[in-house]
Amino acid sequence: MELIVSESGKGKFTQDISVGKHVLIADEPIANGGLDLGPSPYDFLLAALGSCTAMTVRLYADLKKIPLKKITVRLQHEKIHAQDCADCDNPQSKIDHIQRQIELQGELTQDQRAKLLEIANKCPVHRTLTSKILITTTLID
């Protein structure tokens, strides 16, 4: 399925996003020169990670009959100096830091909770974001 993003004409940064039968709006906050008519691109990135995490954990819990009642994923994104990161090559640069907090509700054992956390880290979007990504871009005439 193709996803199409095009300028809406409503604001400097406002974008219309078409995904199959779904229509979404992306924009920047007012503080960044947008009209705040929709989530920012980073908000959509976090939404992709959070929803994939919850879906992956739910799928596993149901498959293994783990009594997970509800999962909630909270995410935040920030740029941090590489000097704050022990695994970074250049301490002068900034890196993206996503903080993900997962709340699991239900009568779960510590082993079940640990396994669900392990599974959360295996969601496809998490694996994509932590792997080498190749993006090819071409111009259309």
Side-chain angles (χ1 to χ4, degrees):
M1 178 177 300
E2 184 177 46
L3 185 147
I4 300 171
V5 179
S6 60
E7 290 185 317
S8 71
K10 295 176 186 164
K12 182 177 177 180
F13 298 118
T14 310
Q15 305 294 312
D16 288 332
I17 304 167
S18 298
V19 188
K21 64 180 182 178
H22 307 286
V23 178
L24 308 167
I25 295 174
D27 202 356
E28 286 291 337
I30 292 171
N32 292 352
L35 298 176
D36 200 23
L37 296 177
S40 74
Y42 278 110
D43 293 335
F44 277 109
L45 180 69
L46 294 181
L49 177 59
S51 59
C52 184
T53 299
M55 291 175 187
T56 302
V57 170
R58 170 54 62 201
L59 180 69
Y60 183 85
D62 289 355
L63 181 68
K64 297 297 183 177
K65 304 203 182 330
I66 295 173
L68 176 64
K69 294 224 182 271
K70 184 178 179 183
I71 178 170
T72 302
V73 183
R74 292 178 178 84
L75 299 113
Q76 293 180 330
H77 170 262
E78 64 181 336
K79 297 273 190 184
I80 62 171
H81 289 282
Q83 64 194 10
D84 299 332
C85 174
D87 300 324
C88 298
D89 295 330
N90 181 355
Q92 299 305 317
S93 64
K94 286 191 172 185
I95 61 166
D96 290 286
H97 176 233
I98 296 174
Q99 183 177 18
R100 178 175 57 177
Q101 297 175 317
I102 301 172
E103 180 182 353
L104 304 172
Q105 295 178 14
E107 294 191 28
L108 307 170
T109 67
Q110 287 300 348
D111 286 344
Q112 289 170 328
R113 293 175 61 78
K115 186 62 178 179
L116 293 176
L117 175 60
E118 178 186 329
I119 295 302
N121 287 325
K122 293 181 179 180
C123 92
V125 172
H126 179 112
R127 292 189 336 197
T128 298
L129 291 172
T130 57
S131 69
K132 182 172 173 64
I133 300 174
L134 175 63
I135 299 173
T136 55
T137 305
T138 56
L139 289 174
I140 300 173
D141 292 329

